[in-house]
Structure formats: C-alpha cells, structure tokens
Amino acid sequence: MYAATHPESGVGLLRPLLEGVGKTVLAVPDSYVTTSVDVTPWTDVKWRAILAHRGEVARERTLPGILARLPKADRAQIIRTEHFTRLTLGPTKGDPDQLII
C-alpha cells in the first residue's frame, strides 16, 4: 500500500503559494519517499481531471483554485511528479528503512 505525499525537498513552488493563503504544506522527510513517478506525459489529462472539480477550482484557498491562477508552466512543474511512501502492515524482513504502521 502506498500513501501519496510531498517530500520536503519537492515542495518548492507549492510552499509559498499555500503560505500565501494561510496554509502549510504537510511534507515528509525525503527519506520517507519510496517512489516518485514522472507523470509529465499525462500533465494535461491530470489538469483536466483537476478542473472537473469546479467547486474546488472556484475557491481561492484550495489547491485546485491556487493552481488555476498560475501560469501553465508553473502549474505543470508542480503537478508533473507524484511522490509516494510505501506503507507496510508490519515489519518486513530485510527492509529496515520502510515506514511501519
């Protein structure tokens, strides 16, 4: 099972945008990220899926609303990589670095 996350080193443009509306980025140490996926080929599809949530896009303080007000290049930079932390249900032999819940 994987949990979507934001690594501390990967919140670049996102942090000041959220702080600008009084929010903080919930990020994890980079060492917790076990998988990063480059979704650049699907950035336009991903953006259209985000836009389908019209109520969220219309609000100024939601992430979709913030992203909608950005130039396309900045928005693409933020949404082109997805990060995940692999979760295990118990200790995994030979895998001491995994986050165990």
Side-chain angles (χ1 to χ4, degrees), residues 1-28:
M1 177 169 43
Y2 289 82
T5 191
H6 297 287
E8 289 173 345
S9 69
V11 294
L13 290 173
L14 192 56
R15 185 180 311 276
L17 293 172
L18 289 176
E19 287 175 349
V21 295
K23 293 185 173 191
T24 59
V25 175
L26 300 177
V28 299

Side-chain angles (χ1 to χ4, degrees), residues 1 5 9 11 23 28 31 33 42 44 47 50-51 76 84 94-95:
M1 177 169 43
T5 191
S9 69
V11 294
K23 293 185 173 191
V28 299
S31 62
V33 176
W42 302 278
D44 289 337
W47 180 239
I50 292 168
L51 286 176
F84 301 90
D95 200 5

Side-chain angles (χ1 to χ4, degrees), residues 18-60:
L18 289 176
E19 287 175 349
V21 295
K23 293 185 173 191
T24 59
V25 175
L26 300 177
V28 299
D30 289 4
S31 62
Y32 284 22
V33 176
T34 57
T35 305
S36 295
V37 180
D38 179 1
V39 297
T40 301
W42 302 278
T43 301
D44 289 337
V45 173
K46 182 177 177 179
W47 180 239
R48 285 193 306 271
I50 292 168
L51 286 176
H53 299 275
R54 293 182 199 160
E56 292 296 304
V57 172
R59 296 172 60 201
E60 291 185 17

